[in-house]
Amino acid sequence: ELLDDTEQQCVEYRSSFTKHQFLWMESIDDAFETFLNTDAHDIVEGFEEDGMPFKEIMERIKVDIGRPVPSLDEFDKKITFFADMKNDLSNMKTPVDIHWLRLNSQPVKIKLVSFAREWEQKYLRFLQGYTEERIKAVVDFIDAKLKGLGGNSPVDDPENSKLLYATMTDIRDVKLATNAIKRIFNPIRDFCQLLKKYKVAPEGQAEIEQSPAKWEDVIRLAFTEKEKILPLQSEEVLKIRNKIDDFAEELRQFCHEFRSKCPFNPENAISEEWDKSYEAMDEYKGRIQEYRERADEFNDLELLFDMQVSTYRELKECVEELDLLRGVWDGTRAIKDKFKSWNDILWDVIDTDDLLMQMRDVQNQVKNMPKGVKAWPVYRWLQDEAKNMATVLPLISDLHGETMQDRHWTKLMTVTQRTFEKGPEFSFKDLIDLQLHEFAEEVSEIVDQSVKEAKIDKKLKNIQSVWSKMTVSFDRSNPDCPLLGELGEVLERLDADSLEMMGMTSQGRFIEFCKALVDEWSGKLRKIDTTLNVWQKVQENWCRLEPIFMQSDDIRSQLPDDSKRFEQMDNAFKELMNDAAGDSDSALIVQVCCTGERTEALKNICDGIDSCERSLNDYLEQKKKAFPRFYFVANQALLDILSNGNRPLKVDEYLGDMFDGIKKLDFSKAPDTGKIACGHYSKDTEKVEWAQDMVIEGAVEHYLTQLEEHFRLMLREELERARATADLWETDKAREFWLEDYCSQLSLVGTQILWTEETHKVFDEIEAGSETAMREYKKVNDDRIEKLIKRVQTPLSKDVRNKIITIITIDVHGRDIIEQMANRKITDQTDFLWLSQLRFYWGHCPQGMGLVSYTPDEKKTAVIRICDWTTIYCYEYVGNCGRLVITPLTDRCYITLTQAMGLILGGAPAGPAGTGKTETTKDLSRALGLQIVVFNCSDQMTYQTMAQIFMGIAQTGCWGCFDEFNRISIEVLSVVSTQYKTILDGIRAGSPQFNFMEEDIRLISTNG
């Protein structure tokens, strides 16, 4: 522990010396020089006279003011620092005892004190020497001028021109330095004071103290002498002026010679005789220096004799131009040497990117040359050389591309009218010799052509490679005939490559090198495209029609000739498919599509199948006219219905496609044959039993027409019974239980008929004087609704619950109308609030109004009125699907749509998506017992599609609801508007038939 503590204290003691290690580690001279250069300034600063700064004045009078030095404060700090360090080191105690160890550091201390004294003396010696030199320079200058002005006067020896010049020089120096010398005295005194602080006495201190008085004597002598020699000065001025004029003329001739013979032209650069240019510039540099020295001598004389100083501007311009010219030639030589160094680069190793980068530096170098040189011929030549190389390098870069082939190099020789061999020794110089900058546009065209040809070649090879291996798969799920597999990717690639080939053929001269191959594959792709399009169409039509013509006995009996024709097409198609597929599941598409006359064979099969399909469509059109609801059934389903027409059970599967609310018939009395129907089921499982059975026989379109009439008849008879028993709600069977005896649709209509009749009775009572009749009837409505609500809260079947909820929905609206009329105290049956409601009446069909009724005239039916529009309930079965809540907006829609029907127009509810436009329209059709068909329109719909829909609507008398009608293309809409107007015109004419699309068809005026 003692040893460790001793060691620690020894280290600390050593650090008291090592902190001064710079004394022996650093160079005194280097450190002192760094000090002198830090914040250095002249001995006098900020002084200027007649535009001439202090330093220039001293140089002119040849007084050395020394180098710039730091301030005296900085010197003082440094000297004090080292003096204090020396004292601190001297006062250190030696030797030192640390525990059991005595350290004798006396030699180290002595050496360090010596180092500190040496550093201190370095600063003092410099300060002393610097001060003495300034004192001597000033004192010697003053003494010299005092001696010169106080000696012999030129007046005493007028022929002595040297004496006159010497005296004039002294007078000039005194004039220049009158105030400058006065400004130097105080700084010198400050230096002396600082030295005195450190007990150093500089030599000449006494002389500098006497110098101000001596300087005043010199100034007086100069003034006196100047007046004495004034006549001699005037005479000498005339002589000097003549010499200056002669020199100026000589100088003008020299400047003219300089500009005409100095190398301002590029001849030596073109011939690369650089030495001639530099020799000429060196020669003129020497001569300019001689003229500069003579000009300075004349300037000195002018200054000496108070003459106007000549500027010799042309000489200065020559000096500047010579410096600029040397710079231009240096740049020109460097740039040409750089260009020359590129000549030996072999073609295969040319790094055009690096050369272009170097070229940018060259262009910047030329561009950034001084403005004064830009009118010289040599600069313009250099600029052109750089411009030409800048043009050539990108062309070489382009020519170095991989797309250049031998045919393109041959074309380059033709353009440049030079021949070359592009072998292993082909180099940068060979390209430069082609003078490519003169053919820049043509070379760019050649390169561009090579690039485009390379792209075409690449695309063509890719297309050739892909389609030479492209296969088409066959689906063998049909044992009799293999079929084309999925062609989505093949057709997508075919479209893309066909466009590519079309683009290639439009390239003109760019495909000359491969025109035969382009023509060959363009033809093959066109052939494949044509063949596949026909093939797909044939296969699609064959797959669709083969079950119809080959498996449907009904169709074969109805269309015997077409069935035979289809058999021929069927055999031809199967033979073609087996030939194409062979024994494999795939084949090369080029072989399959481009072999023999396969395309023509497919076209013949296509024409034959199309003929069969047209006959089939004519046959279907006859069936649709016989039973118009077939217009809303898909052709495939219709064909299935027709082919199974003598099997009612099979037709029953499609009943929901023709009657929206019906799912199937009740064949419980003939479950095996389906020849007797005794009721029907709704899609929501409601069952309706008929009062009379129906025997199903004959053609399918005929018994479906009879079935449609039977539906309406049975519903009307059931409504008649419901209406009759509704009067007994209060005495026999309450309404909440009465409704179970009838289907949902008719129990609701019966309720609405009774509500309308009771409301009219209330108006009669009000007319008879009962003021509270309406409010009392409102209580009746409330009571009936309350009973339904209580019933619906009990356990019920789904059908009964839906039925009660539907009646509550409509009852609430009816109660609200009664309440509004009571609150408004309406007493007149013609009030708009009452007339704007859907009102149901039980009575005979009004005559003379052209109304469509499915009930014999002698029987009563449901008559519906709203505002001034009247219609007859159509008894279309809608099932137990419920009704929408009726809002004020619903009432407006009802009024608008029914008024449109009354005006023989269409309706177009408008509003944001999802607000119930379609559902409100459907709800109104259910209220009227009228069939409605909803279509989601798209841009795929054609005027033929719309014509089929309109024909179905016109002949069934149903409503057509077209969602997103604006999606139909404008070209189709223009035809559709005419079709639609034709139907409206037929309704207005009141004719049971009208001409539509050049056909006479039936018209039922309830359509809309």
Side-chain angles (χ1 to χ4, degrees):
E1 186 177 335
L2 179 61
L3 286 172
D4 291 341
D5 186 58
T6 302
E7 182 182 3
Q8 179 65 29
Q9 291 191 40
C10 286
V11 170
E12 293 175 358
Y13 182 67
R14 185 184 64 176
S15 65
S16 65
F17 294 100
T18 57
K19 68 181 180 180
H20 304 302
Q21 63 183 355
F22 73 91
L23 292 174
W24 70 85
M25 295 290 290
E26 294 182 10
S27 167
I28 296 178
D29 293 335
D30 292 344
F32 184 70
E33 187 64 30
T34 301
F35 167 75
L36 290 179
N37 291 326
T38 304
D39 296 329
H41 54 271
D42 291 327
I43 191 169
V44 175
E45 284 194 331
F47 176 80
E48 186 178 288
E49 190 165 12
D50 295 334
M52 189 179 293
F54 176 82
K55 186 175 182 178
E56 189 176 341
I57 293 172
M58 292 296 106
E59 289 174 354
R60 184 65 67 90
I61 64 175
K62 297 180 175 57
V63 173
D64 182 16
I65 61 172
R67 65 179 289 176
V69 295
S71 66
L72 290 179
D73 289 339
E74 295 299 324
F75 274 101
D76 191 18
K77 288 178 184 177
K78 284 290 185 180
I79 296 170
T80 301
F81 172 74
F82 288 112
D84 292 344
M85 183 186 296
K86 180 182 67 177
N87 293 332
D88 292 342
L89 291 170
S90 299
N91 295 329
M92 288 181 69
K93 178 184 176 182
T94 56
V96 175
D97 293 335
I98 300 176
H99 297 305
W100 49 270
L101 182 65
R102 171 167 291 179
L103 297 175
N104 183 13
S105 56
Q106 184 66 19
V108 176
K109 182 177 99 172
I110 293 171
K111 193 65 177 174
L112 288 178
V113 169
S114 172
F115 280 145
R117 183 181 298 110
E118 189 176 348
W119 281 76
E120 177 190 22
Q121 289 301 314
K122 183 70 174 177
Y123 286 86
L124 282 172
R125 283 196 298 271
F126 174 81
L127 201 58
Q128 181 180 0
Y130 185 82
T131 304
E132 289 174 349
E133 288 172 1
R134 303 293 79 72
I135 291 173
K136 186 175 184 307
V138 173
V139 170
D140 287 350
F141 173 74
I142 294 174
D143 290 345
K145 298 307 166 186
L146 191 61
K147 180 179 178 182
L149 293 172
N152 294 332
S153 174
V155 178
D156 300 331
D157 190 1
E159 299 300 325
N160 191 346
S161 60
K162 288 185 177 180
L163 180 60
L164 176 63
Y165 284 1
T167 303
M168 291 297 298
T169 301
D170 290 338
I171 293 172
R172 181 203 64 183
D173 290 347
V174 173
K175 179 181 177 183
L176 281 174
T178 298
N179 294 317
I181 292 295
K182 293 178 182 178
R183 292 295 295 270
I184 204 171
F185 293 141
N186 286 335
I188 293 176
R189 290 193 188 104
D190 292 338
F191 276 94
C192 293
Q193 287 296 114
L194 182 59
L195 289 170
K196 184 177 179 182
K197 176 180 177 181
Y198 295 103
K199 299 181 177 56
V200 177
E203 292 183 6
Q205 187 172 358
E207 285 86 346
I208 198 65
E209 292 298 332
Q210 298 170 4
S211 293
K214 284 185 177 181
W215 182 241
E216 293 296 333
D217 293 340
V218 170
I219 293 171
R220 284 194 297 273
L221 284 172
F223 183 74
T224 303
E225 192 65 26
K226 183 176 181 181
E227 288 187 349
K228 288 165 61 179
I229 65 172
L230 192 58
L232 294 175
Q233 180 180 351
S234 300
E235 183 179 342
E236 191 67 22
V237 163
L238 292 175
K239 296 177 182 179
I240 293 171
R241 175 55 61 197
N242 291 331
K243 291 179 181 179
I244 290 174
D245 291 342
D246 293 341
F247 175 73
E249 180 59 31
E250 182 183 348
L251 184 60
R252 277 192 296 274
Q253 293 176 1
F254 169 76
C255 289
H256 178 73
E257 177 190 341
F258 169 78
R259 291 192 175 94
S260 60
K261 294 185 178 181
C262 216
F264 287 97
N265 290 308
E267 286 81 2
N268 294 336
I270 295 172
S271 61
E272 297 188 1
E273 295 176 315
W274 310 106
D275 292 342
K276 286 186 178 181
S277 295
Y278 283 102
E279 287 171 3
M281 288 187 288
D282 290 340
E283 177 190 345
Y284 279 99
K285 181 179 180 181
R287 294 178 64 186
I288 287 173
Q289 183 60 32
E290 292 174 2
Y291 278 101
R292 178 73 267 172
E293 291 173 359
R294 290 173 63 189
D296 289 342
E297 291 174 2
F298 283 117
N299 284 150
D300 287 341
L301 289 174
E302 289 169 335
L303 190 63
L304 197 62
F305 286 90
D306 288 335
M307 298 169 63
Q308 183 178 355
V309 178
S310 301
T311 59
Y312 301 113
R313 181 176 54 81
E314 288 185 337
L315 183 60
K316 290 180 180 179
E317 289 176 356
C318 289
V319 173
E320 293 173 357
E321 288 175 5
L322 185 61
D323 290 340
L324 292 176
L325 185 60
R326 183 174 290 274
V328 171
W329 277 98
D330 289 343
T332 301
R333 184 170 187 176
I335 290 170
K336 289 298 290 183
D337 287 345
K338 182 186 288 289
F339 291 170
K340 192 173 182 180
S341 69
W342 296 350
N343 287 342
D344 296 331
I345 303 176
L346 294 178
W347 173 252
D348 292 337
V349 296
I350 290 178
D351 185 354
T352 51
D353 291 337
D354 179 59
L355 297 183
L356 285 168
M357 190 176 298
Q358 294 184 50
M359 193 61 226
R360 279 194 288 272
D361 295 338
V362 168
Q363 286 180 297
N364 289 333
Q365 181 181 347
V366 174
K367 182 180 178 182
N368 294 330
M369 283 187 175
K371 187 177 180 180
V373 309
K374 296 188 177 180
W376 296 346
V378 66
Y379 174 81
R380 290 198 297 271
W381 176 83
L382 176 62
Q383 193 177 36
D384 290 341
E385 288 292 297
K387 182 179 178 181
N388 292 341
M389 185 61 75
T391 303
V392 168
L393 281 179
L395 296 176
I396 293 176
S397 177
D398 293 340
L399 291 172
H400 210 266
E402 298 178 353
T403 61
M404 290 290 292
Q405 302 297 324
D406 290 343
R407 61 180 180 273
H408 303 123
W409 289 105
T410 303
K411 191 169 184 179
L412 182 64
M413 294 184 199
T414 304
V415 167
T416 59
Q417 297 180 353
R418 290 177 174 85
T419 58
F420 56 86
E421 183 178 352
K422 190 175 173 290
E425 301 300 321
F426 189 65
S427 65
F428 186 86
K429 186 177 186 304
D430 295 321
L431 288 167
I432 296 299
D433 292 342
L434 296 178
Q435 299 293 311
L436 294 179
H437 61 273
E438 296 179 2
F439 311 98
E441 187 174 344
E442 292 85 349
V443 174
S444 295
E445 286 182 3
I446 293 173
V447 173
D448 182 55
Q449 180 171 346
S450 74
V451 172
K452 290 183 178 179
E453 288 180 359
K455 289 181 180 178
I456 291 171
D457 188 50
K458 182 179 179 181
K459 289 178 182 178
L460 186 58
K461 287 180 179 177
N462 182 52
I463 290 172
Q464 186 178 6
S465 173
V466 169
W467 286 98
S468 296
K469 301 174 183 177
M470 181 76 75
T471 59
V472 58
S473 61
F474 294 97
D475 180 3
R476 293 189 176 273
S477 57
N478 187 329
D480 296 332
C481 176
L483 299 176
L484 286 176
E486 175 59 40
L487 293 175
E489 293 184 4
V490 174
L491 293 176
E492 185 177 347
R493 184 61 186 257
L494 181 61
D495 289 341
D497 288 347
S498 295
L499 287 174
E500 288 285 2
M501 295 304 297
M502 194 180 300
M504 287 184 200
T505 55
S506 66
Q507 293 293 314
R509 62 189 176 88
F510 298 117
I511 63 165
E512 290 178 359
F513 76 102
C514 61
K515 190 173 187 307
L517 198 58
V518 170
D519 292 342
E520 176 189 348
W521 280 98
S522 293
K524 286 184 177 180
L525 292 185
R526 283 196 301 271
K527 185 78 169 179
I528 292 171
D529 183 49
T530 303
T531 303
L532 287 182
N533 285 335
V534 177
W535 206 331
Q536 279 188 302
K537 182 180 178 182
V538 169
Q539 179 170 298
E540 180 184 349
N541 291 341
W542 180 85
C543 290
R544 183 163 45 83
L545 297 177
E546 192 266 347
I548 297 171
F549 281 102
M550 303 301 293
Q551 300 175 23
S552 173
D553 294 336
D554 182 65
I555 297 299
R556 293 177 69 83
S557 64
Q558 295 292 331
L559 302 172
D561 295 337
D562 292 291
S563 297
K564 290 179 182 178
R565 185 185 302 115
F566 189 84
E567 283 183 20
Q568 296 174 357
M569 298 301 105
D570 178 68
N571 293 330
F573 179 70
K574 288 178 179 178
E575 182 181 350
L576 183 145
M577 292 303 299
N578 286 314
D579 178 61
D583 297 328
S584 65
D585 293 334
S586 64
L588 291 174
I589 198 166
V590 174
Q591 294 180 0
V592 169
C593 295
C594 301
T595 301
E597 300 297 326
R598 183 158 288 155
T599 305
E600 293 302 320
L602 283 168
K603 287 181 179 179
N604 292 333
I605 295 172
C606 183
D607 293 340
I609 292 178
D610 285 347
S611 176
C612 296
E613 187 173 18
R614 283 193 297 271
S615 299
L616 179 63
N617 287 335
D618 292 341
Y619 169 69
L620 293 181
E621 189 66 27
Q622 294 174 7
K623 299 296 183 180
K624 288 177 182 178
K625 288 181 180 178
F627 184 62
R629 292 188 186 232
F630 281 159
Y631 281 104
F632 309 127
V633 178
N635 277 354
Q636 191 61 43
L638 177 56
L639 288 168
D640 203 15
I641 292 170
L642 295 174
S643 61
N644 294 285
N646 56 354
R647 291 185 286 176
L649 294 176
K650 188 69 175 176
V651 175
D652 190 49
E653 296 175 7
Y654 295 97
L655 205 62
D657 294 341
M658 295 172 281
F659 300 93
D660 190 51
I662 299 173
K663 181 179 182 182
K664 62 180 180 178
L665 298 178
D666 181 5
F667 293 113
S668 58
K669 293 185 179 181
D672 297 331
T673 62
K675 294 295 184 179
I676 300 175
C678 57
H680 66 264
Y681 295 90
S682 72
K683 291 179 179 178
D684 37 40
T685 70
E686 181 182 56
K687 181 180 180 182
V688 180
E689 295 181 357
W690 296 344
Q692 296 177 6
D693 297 340
M694 177 181 170
V695 178
I696 299 176
E697 57 187 1
V700 62
E701 64 272 19
H702 295 150
Y703 71 67
L704 285 176
T705 302
Q706 294 170 6
L707 182 63
E708 181 181 11
E709 295 173 355
H710 195 73
F711 280 142
R712 291 195 172 109
L713 179 61
M714 292 299 100
L715 290 179
R716 195 214 72 83
E717 290 182 1
E718 185 167 341
L719 178 59
E720 186 173 23
R721 292 194 300 272
R723 169 63 191 86
T725 55
D727 289 333
L728 306 176
W729 286 349
E730 307 299 334
T731 58
D732 187 8
K733 196 171 189 178
R735 184 173 69 145
E736 58 271 22
F737 298 98
W738 163 87
L739 54 81
E740 293 184 22
D741 298 337
Y742 308 99
C743 66
S744 174
Q745 174 180 352
L746 299 180
S747 59
L748 176 60
V749 174
T751 297
Q752 289 177 292
I753 291 172
L754 197 66
W755 175 77
T756 303
E757 292 176 353
E758 287 177 344
T759 304
H760 276 287
K761 290 178 183 178
V762 170
F763 278 117
D764 292 341
E765 290 176 11
I766 292 172
E767 193 172 331
S770 176
E771 296 181 356
T772 60
M774 192 67 73
R775 292 195 178 279
E776 289 173 359
Y777 184 57
K778 189 260 182 184
K779 292 177 182 179
V780 172
N781 279 263
D782 287 338
D783 180 61
R784 289 175 178 172
I785 293 171
E786 185 65 28
K787 289 177 180 179
L788 288 175
I789 292 172
K790 288 179 180 179
R791 179 77 199 283
V792 85
Q793 291 172 344
T794 62
L796 297 170
S797 66
K798 181 180 178 182
D799 288 341
V800 175
R801 185 177 302 279
N802 285 346
K803 190 185 300 185
I804 295 175
I805 291 173
T806 300
I807 294 175
I808 289 174
T809 301
I810 302 302
D811 270 10
V812 167
H813 176 67
R815 186 271 315 274
D816 292 343
I817 296 300
I818 298 299
E819 185 177 14
Q820 289 180 43
M821 291 193 293
N823 292 338
R824 296 183 188 180
K825 297 181 179 180
I826 294 173
T827 59
D828 190 354
Q829 299 184 40
T830 61
D831 189 88
F832 183 74
L833 180 59
W834 171 244
L835 293 179
S836 63
Q837 303 303 312
L838 272 177
R839 309 185 308 282
F840 289 75
Y841 300 90
W842 185 252
H844 294 284
C845 175
Q847 299 300 311
M849 296 179 66
L851 301 179
V852 177
S853 175
Y854 297 98
T855 304
D857 291 342
E858 67 274 9
K859 293 185 178 182
K860 290 185 177 181
T861 187
V863 181
I864 305 171
R865 291 187 174 91
I866 179 171
C867 296
D868 60 351
W869 183 73
T870 303
T871 190
I872 304 300
Y873 192 73
C874 294
Y875 298 101
E876 176 75 17
Y877 182 71
V878 298
N880 190 10
C881 58
R883 292 285 298 278
L884 298 180
V885 174
I886 300 175
T887 66
L889 185 57
T890 310
D891 280 335
R892 289 187 180 186
C893 289
Y894 283 1
I895 295 169
T896 304
L897 292 174
T898 53
Q899 287 298 300
M901 294 297 295
L903 296 170
I904 312 178
L905 297 170
T915 52
K917 302 182 293 298
T918 300
E919 290 304 318
T920 299
T921 306
K922 289 167 65 177
D923 201 58
L924 177 58
S925 73
R926 292 191 187 105
L928 302 178
L930 185 65
Q931 180 188 7
I932 184 169
V933 188
V934 179
F935 302 94
N936 289 312
C937 301
S938 72
D939 56 0
Q940 302 301 311
M941 297 181 80
T942 64
Y943 76 92
Q944 293 97 335
T945 307
M946 293 299 295
Q948 288 287 301
I949 294 172
F950 284 143
M951 291 172 77
I953 291 172
Q955 295 180 81
T956 58
C958 71
W959 281 5
C961 183
F962 298 91
D963 269 354
E964 306 294 346
F965 193 69
N966 58 326
R967 289 185 180 176
I968 301 175
S969 63
I970 191 66
E971 297 84 359
V972 175
L973 282 177
S974 63
V975 181
V976 168
S977 62
T978 304
Q979 295 171 340
Y980 177 58
K981 184 177 182 300
T982 302
I983 297 174
L984 295 183
D985 291 342
I987 296 173
R988 291 190 183 100
S991 173
Q993 286 190 335
F994 77 115
N995 186 276
F996 184 81
M997 299 291 289
E998 299 182 356
E999 290 187 55
D1000 288 333
I1001 60 174
R1002 184 174 54 170
L1003 177 63
I1004 299 177
S1005 60
T1006 55
N1007 68 72

